[in-house]
Amino acid sequence: MFTEAVPLVKSALKPSQKGVIITIAREHGSAGKQVGKVIAEKLNIPFYYKEVAALAAEESGLHKEFISDLNTNSPGVLHDLYLSTSVVQQAITAQEQIIRKIADQGSCVIVGRAADYVLRNYENVVKIFIYASEEYRTHKVMEVYGDTQAEAVKNIRRSDEARAAYYHSISDMRWGEAHNYDLLIDSSIGVEQCATAICSFLSCLKKKQK
C-alpha cells in the first residue's frame, strides 16, 4: 500500500499559461478520457488523467494503484466505511492537493477524480459531464477492453456506481446531476465531434466574458 515518496511532484507538473481549467466527469464507456485528450490537443494545454494518481502517490508515499482504485474498485456495500479509513482519507487528501497544484499551474484538462468539486472555489473552471446511451457504452467497453456484452454491462454499472458513491461521499452532491455542471454532452456523436462541440462552447464562454 505504501511506497517510498519521491520529491518529483513539482518537476512532474506540466507548465501552462493562465486560462480555462476544464474538468471532465464521465460515465464509464463514454470515451470521456479520449474526448478530454483531444480537447487538450486542440487547445494546446496539458492533459491530466492517470498522472493525478501518480503525482498523488509521489507526494503521499502510497502506491499509485491504490490511489487510482479509490473511486473505481472500492467495495460497494462497505463504500462509506472504506472511504472513512485513515489510509484512504490520506490518499483522498493527497489527490485533492495534487489537483489544486495542477490547477495552480494554469490552463489544463483534468479527467475524473471529482476535480469539478475539488476546484469549486477556483476561477475559470468549466465543468463538463460526458454521457452516452448504454448501447453505445457497452459497445465501446467491448471494443476497448475486450469484454463480452454481459461483462461490459456489469462493469459499466459497477464503475458508475463506484464513481457516484465516491463523489457523493466527498461532496454530499449527486454525481451526474445537471445542476453541478456547466455542460452535459452525449459523446455518441463521436469523440472528435464531441471535443469540437466542447471547444465551441468554451469559445462562446470566452466571448461572453469579454
Side-chain angles (χ1 to χ4, degrees):
M1 188 177 295
F2 288 92
T3 186
E4 184 178 354
V6 182
L8 298 175
V9 172
K10 188 173 181 180
S11 61
L13 293 172
K14 305 167 188 176
S16 187
Q17 297 179 345
K18 184 177 180 180
V20 65
I21 298 166
I22 304 152
T23 66
I24 295 180
R26 79 282 185 222
E27 292 180 332
H28 185 55
S30 66
K33 179 182 68 175
Q34 290 85 352
V35 171
K37 193 170 185 179
V38 173
I39 292 171
E41 290 170 353
K42 286 179 177 292
L43 300 180
N44 194 28
I45 58 177
F47 172 78
Y48 291 92
Y49 173 55
K50 288 187 176 180
E51 295 89 342
V52 173
L55 290 167
E58 288 176 7
E59 184 151 284
S60 66
L62 294 167
H63 279 298
K64 179 179 69 175
E65 290 76 13
F66 177 75
I67 295 178
S68 182
D69 285 347
L70 278 180
N71 61 347
T72 55
N73 294 322
S74 50
V77 177
L78 300 177
H79 201 282
D80 289 340
L81 178 61
Y82 170 79
L83 290 174
S84 70
T85 61
S86 60
V87 68
V88 172
Q89 283 300 312
Q90 181 184 344
I92 291 172
T93 298
Q95 184 169 262
E96 292 180 349
Q97 289 174 342
I98 285 299
I99 289 171
R100 294 188 186 100
K101 286 184 178 182
I102 288 171
D104 289 340
Q105 301 302 303
S107 186
C108 62
V109 175
I110 307 174
V111 174
R113 307 294 163 189
D116 57 287
Y117 177 75
V118 176
L119 300 177
R120 62 194 179 281
N121 295 323
Y122 275 63
E123 295 181 354
N124 298 323
V125 175
V126 177
K127 299 169 285 186
I128 310 291
F129 188 87
I130 297 177
Y131 66 95
S133 67
E134 185 174 287
E135 181 182 6
Y136 174 86
R137 293 191 289 143
T138 298
H139 285 301
K140 183 64 69 173
V141 169
M142 291 170 66
E143 174 189 326
V144 174
Y145 300 104
D147 289 359
T148 64
Q149 184 173 353
E151 289 171 338
V153 170
K154 181 180 178 180
N155 287 330
I156 284 170
R157 290 175 181 170
R158 177 187 59 80
S159 182
D160 284 355
E161 286 173 1
R163 290 175 185 180
Y166 177 83
Y167 190 81
H168 180 73
S169 71
I170 68 170
S171 69
D172 201 30
M173 297 193 301
R174 185 179 174 186
W175 179 77
E177 172 63 45
H179 295 93
N180 296 333
Y181 306 92
D182 299 303
L183 176 68
L184 292 88
I185 187 166
D186 185 342
S187 61
S188 62
I189 60 175
V191 170
E192 183 69 29
Q193 292 85 344
C194 188
T196 298
I198 292 172
C199 287
S200 295
F201 174 75
L202 295 172
S203 180
C204 289
L205 282 181
K206 188 174 182 180
K207 290 177 181 178
K208 187 177 179 181
Q209 292 170 353
K210 288 184 177 180

